[in-house]
Amino acid sequence: MYGSLEKVYQALLNTGSDDGATTVAIAEQLELSRSVVSNYLNQLAAQGMILKIPGRPVRWRTNLLDSTANTDPFNLFIGSQGSLHGVTKQCTAAVAYPPNGLNILITGHSGTGKSYLANTIVSYARHAGTISEQAPYVVLNCANYANNPELLSSLLFGYTRGAFTGAETDKIGLLKQADGGFLFLDEVHRLSSENQEKLFNFIDNGHFYRLGDNNTAIRATVRLIFATTEAPKEVLLATFRRRIPVVLQLSDYAQRPVDERLTLLQSILTAEAKKMNISIAVQPTVVSALSQINHPGNIGYLKNTIQVGCAMAYEQRHDSDQIQLDLNCFQFDTLPQDKDYGSLMIAPTSPASCPQFDQFNQALSDIIITATKDADNLDQENIRRLTNSFQLLIGKIPKWELNVGFHVQHRNRFEALIQHRFGLNKTGYLESLIFSLYRRHFKFNATVIDRLSSQLKIKTPRALHVAQEFYRTIQPLEAGSHQTLILVLALLLADHIDENIQLRGLLIAHGESTATSIQAVVNSLCGTYVFDAIDMPIATGVDSIIKEANRLIDQSNTTNGFILMVDMGSLSQLYSAIKSHLDGDLLVVNNLTTVTALDLALKMQQSLPFKEIAEKSDENYTIDVQYYEGFSQTTNILVSCISGLGIAEKIHEIMQPLMPNDIKVIPLDYATLKEKIIAEEWPYFEQTLFVLTTMDLPKDIPFAHLNIYDLLDTTGTTKLTEWLHPYLSQIQLTNLNAQLLRFFSIEGISERLSFLNPDIVIREVETTITKYENYYDLSLDGKVKLNLYMHIALMIERLMVRKQIDTRIEPTTSEGVEFMQISHSIFQPIELKYNVQVSDYEISLLYELFKQFISV
């Protein structure tokens, strides 16, 4: 929230009244016109940030009261959507388990929040209606009575008059006091073995005995929460541990993700500001130091440190309306490496927790549901729809969350890497959305991640590479979320990156930022990502540069050629170290400058052939240019089509996702293939498993090869299966054959269908043919299926565009009668979906196609 809109919201917060404020009151406070303020207030209400209270006059108040009173307490529990997501899910499940929940043990070092979690569990039980609002919550720290186990026993179970010296009256115990609610035993490891036994007997039987009365059983329904700083196996009886099915571990403050540490820090500072009724300004160096505290006291130690710092700052305030927290207010033994998380400004009226925004979160939920539903069919149309859904979220981002200190670092890195180094200077509007998803730990399930990743590797590899490079600089908050965010960023960047650039380029230069500076200039002038870059500080060894270069190469498709630009002769020897990672030709330009890099980048953008670029570089530059003709050093499958790279690249898209990582499917220009065969350059094919072409190759060449269209025959399918059997499972082989057949079908059928989507129709037809195969126990080969695909797809469209006269056909054989009956059943889903009727005549035509396979 920025400008006047932010001022209006802050003014409403500052009223501090549960009854809210009128439009006039806020307008007078801000010295703005009533109509302008009214417009802003309505905008805030539309975002769900404030509530409109009907009446005369209309009043407004923040939504924080309702959001905290009626919200699931775990929504306000820091980490519930992050590192403690699993913990909170176990808590809610334990509370809900009928009839009286499950006992819970919370473990963790001192100060990690065990008592706070226990309080939240009880609040959640009340919120969920599992216990009543008035149900008791009894707390006992067992450490206070560790040296007197009998006294602890009397407190827990109660006693009768005369049970021991000083027992002058009957006394009920804490177990009975907690009847209908919760009993929380902190430091439970200080319970004696005898008291542990009494307690697990109560868990088993639901009753206990007071000290001094072993005859009268007292019943109580109590939900038990335990906490300990020790390892349960070392301090609790095995029989006692078995009665506690839910064991939760809380991490140390230093081990929590950085976003949670910063949120904890902000929460503690807000509490201090409210206590002192004064604003707190926190310098960036203090935010950095406090967020990296690593102390056995954990959050408790952090609170004490902040309190002392605030006390120091308060004493030095000099009647100011705010206090300044700088490093002079603290006594840090050592300062950790400075992290730029920005400054903090905490007002006493600041909300203790941020409001929930149903509009944004609901939209995220809808995206997850849709992506999960479409996971098995993430085609180009569905991917575009998914991208649009994310783009629409930008207008729904709660602006308050962009004011947190953690956003500073994220925004700076986005600007420096994506907008500056990769030259995508028009992508700044995406950063706020990416950050909002990041701090929410947004993630897809494993299936969606896997399917989407496979598609983006093929469709938008350059955008995916930029996204991967960005998230290498951002601390992961959660593995699944990190993977998801890479894919989401790649989706959003795809509109800004030219995926038609086939060549890959890398700049390497000595100096702290020489190569990356040239990279930024060249990419920016080209308006898209063309070059990667590696800086080589003088003190850095070549080995680390080689490792980084190979990492970038392995992440890229280099089959069309790779351009390496270096600034010194020594680096040109990198070829020998990287050649095993390259899959195509290499051009090395020795003496990197901005002018030569830009010249090459423009040629790459124009999609000039690699050899032409290499020849022109050798002619135009007065520097050392070396051209290395090579090919994949790893096992590969070559696909080459006489009509161009189009079909070859589509077959690559089908095959590569199914292949092991060490086998590459490489589209190859047919002219190049022909040259190699005529010149008998057989070493070129040393790592090639086989070659797929659209032309028959000479039989005497010394490598395996197959005409792509032979895959429609059983002989071709058998040969392909034989070659790939050592590398793929039977399921993968079946899937590959099915996808190749579908590809040929779609290519042919799409030319003949007038208005139906061939991708969708093919799936329908495929299901239909599978039903016939299952019923008749058939395994039809590719050519037969292709014929059936064509016939049935065209039949559906024909039935849709013109009404058919249903000529009554009477089958003359029992086999024909059976086919007619089963066909009407098989086609029923298609009839309903396309609102057509498959006549007996149409089925009789199909019978002619099937008859040769089903005749006895």
Side-chain angles (χ1 to χ4, degrees):
M1 185 176 356
Y2 298 101
S4 298
L5 191 65
E6 181 180 14
K7 291 177 182 176
V8 170
Y9 182 68
Q10 192 62 45
L12 189 57
L13 279 176
N14 291 339
T15 62
S17 171
D18 291 353
D19 297 329
T22 65
T23 305
V24 172
I26 297 173
E28 290 176 351
Q29 180 182 339
L30 296 174
E31 298 181 352
L32 294 172
S33 73
R34 182 184 179 282
S35 60
V36 169
V37 171
S38 177
N39 179 46
Y40 288 139
L41 288 168
N42 280 295
Q43 285 184 48
L44 292 167
Q47 294 178 25
M49 297 182 69
I50 66 173
L51 295 176
K52 185 176 183 178
I53 307 170
R56 291 183 179 276
V58 170
R59 302 181 74 85
W60 309 83
R61 68 173 170 82
T62 62
N63 201 17
L64 299 179
L65 297 173
D66 285 350
S67 69
T68 54
N70 299 320
T71 298
D72 178 343
F74 277 115
N75 286 349
L76 307 176
F77 189 80
I78 296 170
S80 63
Q81 298 303 313
S83 68
L84 298 180
H85 181 68
V87 168
T88 56
K89 285 297 182 185
Q90 285 182 279
C91 290
T92 55
V95 168
Y97 191 82
N100 298 310
L102 299 174
N103 298 324
I104 299 171
L105 173 63
I106 307 170
T107 69
H109 295 142
S110 176
T112 51
K114 297 184 294 297
S115 297
Y116 183 71
L117 177 57
N119 294 341
T120 306
I121 292 170
V122 177
S123 297
Y124 173 78
R126 290 187 174 126
H127 167 79
T130 307
I131 62 173
S132 71
E133 287 290 337
Q134 294 74 37
Y137 175 40
V138 180
V139 179
L140 176 67
N141 190 323
C142 300
N144 295 336
Y145 304 93
N147 297 325
N148 195 336
E150 283 130 2
L151 177 57
L152 181 55
S153 182
S154 69
L155 284 171
L156 275 174
F157 302 102
Y159 54 86
T160 60
R161 181 181 179 185
F164 52 84
T165 302
E168 298 178 353
T169 60
D170 292 347
K171 179 87 171 180
I172 65 170
L174 297 180
L175 275 174
K176 188 60 180 175
Q177 291 179 37
D179 191 14
F182 280 85
L183 173 62
F184 173 44
L185 297 182
D186 200 2
E187 303 292 350
V188 68
H189 59 277
R190 306 304 291 270
L191 274 181
S192 66
S193 297
E194 182 182 357
N195 281 328
Q196 288 185 44
E197 289 175 359
K198 288 181 180 180
L199 202 51
F200 76 64
N201 281 328
F202 165 69
I203 293 171
D204 287 345
N205 304 315
H207 64 259
F208 61 92
Y209 297 93
R210 291 184 293 179
L211 268 67
D213 183 358
N214 292 326
N215 297 317
T216 307
I218 299 177
R219 294 202 162 270
T221 301
V222 181
R223 295 166 180 258
L224 296 167
I225 304 175
F226 309 101
T228 179
T229 55
E230 306 296 322
K233 287 185 179 181
E234 297 177 7
V235 293
L236 299 178
L237 297 175
T239 48
F240 184 64
R241 294 199 311 271
R242 283 199 292 269
R243 269 73 176 182
I244 311 173
V246 179
V247 180
L248 310 172
Q249 172 73 39
L250 294 184
S251 301
D252 288 355
Y253 171 74
Q255 304 307 315
R256 298 278 291 271
V258 65
D259 64 323
E260 293 176 18
R261 281 182 271 137
L262 288 167
T263 306
L264 285 165
L265 177 60
Q266 192 163 358
S267 176
I268 297 168
L269 285 163
T270 300
E272 291 301 311
K274 290 182 184 298
K275 209 186 311 179
M276 298 184 295
N277 194 29
I278 196 168
S279 295
I280 304 175
V282 191
Q283 287 190 351
T285 51
V286 174
V287 175
S288 171
L290 293 175
S291 67
Q292 298 180 77
I293 281 178
N294 189 356
H295 188 275
N298 289 293
I299 300 171
Y301 175 80
L302 177 67
K303 285 182 178 179
N304 292 338
T305 301
I306 290 173
Q307 282 183 336
V308 172
C310 287
M312 295 285 290
Y314 190 82
E315 186 182 25
Q316 302 166 12
R317 73 187 188 285
H318 304 302
D319 296 324
S320 172
D321 60 353
Q322 69 178 31
I323 61 173
Q324 300 284 336
L325 279 185
D326 56 31
L327 289 178
N328 293 325
C329 300
F330 300 90
Q331 293 183 344
F332 295 114
D333 294 332
T334 57
L335 282 176
Q337 180 184 356
D338 188 51
K339 304 282 188 180
D340 185 9
Y341 298 135
S343 59
L344 286 175
M345 174 58 73
I346 310 292
T349 54
S350 298
S353 59
C354 294
Q356 300 296 311
F357 289 82
D358 291 339
Q359 189 181 24
F360 189 83
N361 291 330
Q362 183 58 52
L364 282 182
S365 299
D366 292 342
I367 287 174
I368 291 173
I369 291 169
T370 302
T372 303
K373 183 183 67 175
D374 293 339
D376 291 328
N377 183 33
L378 278 173
D379 56 19
Q380 192 167 354
E381 182 181 346
N382 284 335
I383 288 176
R384 169 46 62 186
R385 191 180 299 119
L386 181 62
T387 304
N388 291 341
S389 297
F390 279 113
Q391 289 173 335
L392 289 172
L393 282 175
I394 294 173
K396 301 175 182 178
I397 299 169
K399 302 303 182 185
W400 55 261
E401 69 181 22
L402 303 181
N403 295 330
V404 299
F406 194 32
H407 181 223
V408 174
Q409 187 182 72
H410 188 278
R411 185 180 62 237
N412 290 345
R413 291 186 179 178
F414 190 95
E415 291 173 353
L417 189 71
I418 293 181
Q419 293 182 252
H420 187 60
R421 279 186 52 186
F422 283 106
L424 307 176
N425 51 32
K426 295 182 179 179
T427 61
Y429 71 99
L430 298 173
E431 188 276 330
S432 58
L433 172 59
I434 294 299
F435 175 73
S436 293
L437 298 176
Y438 175 60
R439 74 184 303 274
R440 279 174 167 77
H441 299 221
F442 176 76
K443 64 179 176 181
F444 289 130
N445 65 36
T447 301
V448 176
I449 290 174
D450 183 57
R451 301 288 166 80
L452 189 56
S453 178
S454 297
Q455 288 295 316
L456 296 186
K457 284 178 183 177
I458 299 297
K459 304 290 186 185
T460 58
R462 298 183 77 88
L464 183 61
H465 171 71
V466 173
Q468 288 169 333
E469 290 304 289
F470 173 71
Y471 279 104
R472 287 185 75 242
T473 70
I474 299 293
Q475 179 178 339
L477 301 179
E478 191 180 345
S481 175
H482 209 67
Q483 292 174 295
T484 299
L485 292 171
I486 289 172
L487 300 177
V488 173
L489 180 55
L491 285 173
L492 295 170
L493 291 177
D495 289 337
H496 301 270
I497 292 178
D498 185 359
E499 293 290 348
N500 293 317
I501 299 175
Q502 297 295 311
L503 305 182
R504 293 297 180 125
L506 176 62
L507 314 177
I508 304 180
H510 291 81
E512 296 292 336
S513 61
T514 306
T516 51
S517 294
I518 296 175
Q519 175 198 22
V521 171
V522 171
N523 286 340
S524 294
L525 289 174
C526 291
T528 190
Y529 152 51
V530 181
F531 275 116
D532 284 294
I534 302 175
D535 292 316
M536 184 177 177
I538 303 302
T540 303
V542 177
D543 288 346
S544 63
I545 300 301
I546 291 172
K547 183 178 179 181
E548 177 65 4
N550 285 335
R551 183 190 69 79
L552 290 169
I553 291 169
D554 291 341
Q555 203 169 285
S556 306
N557 177 8
T558 59
T559 57
N560 294 302
F562 187 77
I563 296 176
L564 175 65
M565 301 191 72
V566 295
D567 69 335
M568 289 187 188
S570 60
L571 288 181
S572 65
Q573 304 308 312
L574 279 173
Y575 169 66
S576 59
I578 66 175
K579 65 180 180 180
S580 63
H581 293 257
L582 292 170
D583 296 321
D585 297 340
L586 169 69
L587 176 69
V588 178
V589 178
N590 181 11
N591 191 5
L592 167 63
T593 67
T594 303
V595 173
T596 53
L598 180 59
D599 181 60
L600 281 173
L602 293 172
K603 289 184 172 70
M604 292 164 70
Q605 248 188 320
Q606 295 167 21
S607 297
L608 295 179
F610 183 86
K611 287 187 177 179
E612 183 179 338
I613 293 176
E615 290 167 1
K616 288 185 177 180
S617 299
D618 199 21
E619 294 171 2
N620 298 341
Y621 304 153
T622 57
I623 53 180
D624 186 15
V625 176
Q626 294 173 287
Y627 168 60
Y628 299 91
E629 186 175 37
F631 203 63
S632 178
Q633 304 296 312
T634 58
T635 307
N636 61 77
I637 298 167
L638 303 183
V639 185
S640 184
C641 303
I642 195 169
S643 57
L645 287 173
I647 292 178
E649 288 174 346
K650 288 189 176 181
I651 291 175
H652 159 77
E653 292 177 12
I654 292 170
M655 295 183 70
Q656 190 63 72
L658 296 171
M659 294 295 142
N661 291 332
D662 56 351
I663 296 180
K664 295 188 177 181
V665 180
I666 301 172
L668 181 64
D669 178 64
Y670 185 76
T672 302
L673 176 64
K674 187 176 178 181
E675 286 176 10
K676 302 298 180 187
I677 293 174
I678 292 173
E680 297 186 354
E681 294 182 23
W682 309 133
Y684 188 86
F685 304 95
E686 283 181 356
Q687 298 298 322
T688 301
L689 284 179
F690 56 87
V691 177
L692 291 176
T693 70
T694 53
M695 295 286 289
D696 289 329
L697 297 180
K699 293 182 179 180
D700 57 349
I701 58 178
F703 54 81
H705 55 92
L706 180 68
N707 189 316
I708 291 171
Y709 294 105
D710 286 341
L711 295 175
L712 299 175
D713 275 327
T714 303
T715 52
T717 303
T718 301
K719 190 174 289 186
L720 182 68
T721 301
E722 178 186 326
W723 289 340
L724 292 177
H725 188 266
Y727 310 100
L728 303 181
S729 67
Q730 188 57 49
I731 293 175
Q732 289 175 313
L733 287 167
T734 302
N735 186 17
L736 174 59
N737 286 322
Q739 288 196 55
L740 288 171
L741 177 60
R742 188 181 302 140
F743 164 71
F744 287 119
S745 304
I746 291 172
E747 286 292 303
I749 292 172
S750 61
E751 294 178 1
R752 300 181 62 180
L753 287 176
S754 300
F755 61 88
L756 285 179
N757 184 325
D759 293 287
I760 295 175
V761 174
I762 285 297
R763 286 197 294 271
E764 301 286 341
V765 175
E766 189 174 37
T767 301
T768 300
I769 294 174
T770 300
K771 289 178 179 178
Y772 277 116
E773 286 185 312
N774 292 339
Y775 183 83
Y776 287 106
D777 194 22
L778 298 174
S779 180
L780 302 173
D781 69 21
K783 283 189 176 178
V784 173
K785 284 187 176 180
L786 183 60
N787 191 15
L788 287 169
Y789 281 149
M790 190 78 70
H791 179 91
I792 297 173
L794 294 175
M795 178 192 75
I796 293 171
E797 184 166 274
R798 186 172 66 250
L799 293 175
M800 290 179 67
V801 297
R802 62 177 185 268
K803 187 171 178 63
Q804 295 292 305
I805 299 174
D806 188 4
T807 305
R808 191 70 182 168
I809 302 293
E810 294 290 343
T812 57
T813 64
S814 58
E815 188 181 79
V817 171
E818 182 183 7
F819 185 85
M820 187 75 70
Q821 292 172 344
I822 189 62
S823 295
H824 278 300
S825 174
I826 286 174
F827 277 104
Q828 188 174 26
I830 286 180
E831 290 178 327
L832 292 172
K833 178 171 183 176
Y834 293 100
N835 192 26
V836 298
Q837 183 176 359
V838 181
S839 65
D840 289 351
Y841 172 73
E842 295 289 354
I843 292 176
S844 69
L845 296 178
L846 269 176
Y847 180 59
E848 293 302 316
L849 294 173
F850 270 103
K851 186 165 59 175
Q852 59 183 312
F853 305 109
I854 63 178
S855 298
V856 180

